[in-house]
Amino acid sequence: MSIDLFGCTPGPHNSIMDIAGIGVGHAICDDGQGDSGVTVIATPSGATASVDVRGGGPGTRETDLLSPPNTVEAIHAVALCGGSAFGLDAATGAMAELEHRGIGFPVLGSEHPDKIVPIVPAAVIFDLLLGKWDSRPTASTGREATRAALAALDTALDTELDTELDTELDNEPTGDPHASGNLGAGLGAAAGALKGGFGQASAVFPEGTPLAGVTVAAAMVVNPQGAIFDPATGLPWGVAAELGNEFSRYGVDRRGEVPAGGVEKMRSMNLLGTKITTEALNTTIGVVATDAPLTKAQAKRMAMSSHDGLARAIRPAHMPMDGDTIFGMSVGEKAAEDADKAAQTVDPVAMSMISAVAANAVERAIVHAVLAAETAFDTPSWRDVAWGS
């Protein structure tokens, strides 16, 4: 199953790092042995950003700053954290790492380049019931994830972000920054009654369209109260948003249908695969980004539209005990080609196309998170339940 959305195709890695200027890094608390983690989406050259919060129980940091009328235009990273409100500490570590590398907002102007404040908005999921209650990300976890994100970006660009740092801070990134699954903030996530995780997807506009070559991508941490599968078929709700054959790696296309036993087992898990009748808390958080030049207000609109993809892939969504939050960012080469950003801002037609593809990317990223997730913390993965393996 697939759809043709303006002829877009997945980017080279089908990840948010298909956009130049973005790095992805993950870290797990308790020196990598814990039950929760952090994912940092780093934009060291700055990104125009805003945010849209739809869930009834959000846990966030620096989101008011991203309101279009407010002053600061650029952010330097987004921290997506496990650990509920405790996990917001991870953003402090991300700030410390960025400041150490000379990345941040020059609060006293260019005359004082050493006086900087990195801008790092953050959002958390509630994952304290999977694994140990007191296994939570700290500032150290956030700093480690930021190092990994900057190292991944450094590797992608084949440059050195800061040649004066000591070896300890120049560690190579651990794992594949383009991967999805039980990574970073997605380690302790549960998608309804099934295992959730971290997922990403990208889309590139083809030649012959007004946005030829522009990339839109999403990175999502999936931990909702609602279900991620159709109880009639057992397939993920968002599988129809597929571009090309991107989900075939998980066996979805090859199998064609979920065996009846798998469908019935999923249907019997709590209330049709949701967490609605349990005491578990929730939240789906993430970032949607583009290299098209957007204003702060347009980044807000992109984030708002992206929640449509969340609501298509998770049903029901935006519930009272969810904290669903999506950050919207404009970053990369295309957004930085001209210093006169206002002169190159996209028009309403292009903005509509970007918004539609952003929603699709979020929907696909959620499916990748669920299909790539592995059984953990006594919470079965979709693949294990569906195929009975």
Side-chain angles (χ1 to χ4, degrees):
M1 291 183 287
S2 64
I3 62 174
D4 180 7
L5 192 62
F6 310 117
C8 291
T9 55
H13 301 287
N14 205 9
S15 83
I16 199 167
M17 280 190 61
D18 288 332
I19 297 175
I22 294 181
V24 176
H26 307 284
I28 304 304
C29 63
D30 304 335
D31 296 323
Q33 304 303 309
D35 301 332
S36 184
V38 175
T39 296
V40 168
I41 312 296
T43 57
S45 296
T48 301
S50 192
V51 66
D52 190 48
V53 180
R54 297 285 178 93
T60 57
R61 169 172 165 161
E62 295 276 42
T63 50
D64 284 353
L65 189 69
L66 301 183
S67 179
N70 290 341
T71 302
V72 174
E73 289 288 335
I75 67 171
H76 304 98
V78 171
L80 306 175
C81 315
S84 189
F86 297 107
L88 289 172
D89 282 350
T92 301
M95 288 182 67
E97 183 65 21
L98 292 170
E99 182 188 27
H100 187 81
R101 294 178 183 245
I103 299 167
F105 177 68
V107 292
L108 298 181
S110 57
E111 298 82 7
H112 300 276
D114 58 322
K115 303 297 191 297
I116 58 172
V117 177
I119 308 300
V120 184
V124 298
I125 65 168
F126 184 93
D127 60 355
L128 298 178
L129 298 184
L130 272 71
K132 295 180 293 183
W133 174 263
D134 59 354
S135 184
R136 308 157 183 163
T138 63
S140 176
T141 320
R143 189 161 192 171
E144 183 182 348
T146 305
R147 291 173 185 167
L150 294 175
L153 179 57
D154 194 22
T155 300
L157 297 177
D158 195 25
T159 62
E160 292 190 19
L161 293 173
D162 190 335
T163 56
E164 297 181 0
L165 291 175
D166 57 49
T167 355
E168 181 189 354
L169 296 181
D170 272 336
N171 293 332
E172 291 297 316
T174 55
D176 180 1
H178 308 294
S180 299
N182 293 16
L183 300 168
L187 176 64
L194 298 170
K195 184 69 180 69
F198 171 78
Q200 46 187 333
S202 68
V204 182
F205 284 91
E207 296 298 324
T209 65
L211 292 164
V214 165
T215 300
V216 178
M220 303 296 296
V221 179
V222 182
N223 184 58
Q225 187 175 32
I228 48 76
F229 64 89
D230 180 347
T233 66
L235 289 170
W237 284 115
V239 74
E242 182 180 36
L243 292 185
N245 296 312
E246 64 183 314
F247 301 141
S248 61
R249 73 177 81 168
Y250 310 109
V252 171
D253 289 343
R254 183 175 67 253
R255 308 275 182 133
E257 297 179 352
V258 177
V263 177
E264 185 54 37
K265 186 173 181 181
M266 278 188 272
R267 284 171 52 88
S268 68
M269 298 175 74
N270 195 21
L271 182 60
L272 294 178
T274 70
K275 285 187 278 189
I276 290 175
T277 61
T278 73
E279 295 180 358
L281 301 180
N282 321 282
T283 293
T284 297
I285 56 178
V287 173
V288 62
T290 183
D291 52 12
L294 304 185
T295 65
K296 205 172 177 184
Q298 287 174 324
K300 171 80 172 182
R301 174 55 57 186
M302 180 174 67
M304 292 170 64
S305 299
S306 297
H307 277 279
D308 291 349
L310 188 157
R312 291 196 294 260
I314 300 166
R315 307 185 192 184
H318 307 137
M319 300 297 282
M321 299 309 293
D322 283 315
D324 300 336
T325 300
I326 298 180
F327 298 91
M329 301 194 313
S330 171
V331 68
E333 294 175 350
K334 293 181 178 61
E337 284 170 358
D338 186 350
D340 184 8
K341 209 165 191 179
Q344 58 164 293
T345 301
V346 300
D347 63 27
V349 171
M351 189 65 228
S352 295
M353 296 172 72
I354 289 170
S355 297
V357 172
N360 175 265
V362 166
E363 188 175 6
R364 294 162 50 224
I366 290 170
V367 176
H368 278 291
V370 170
L371 295 184
E374 299 176 357
T375 296
F377 310 115
D378 298 321
T379 303
S381 69
W382 180 88
R383 285 182 294 168
D384 284 351
V385 176
W387 308 133
S389 58

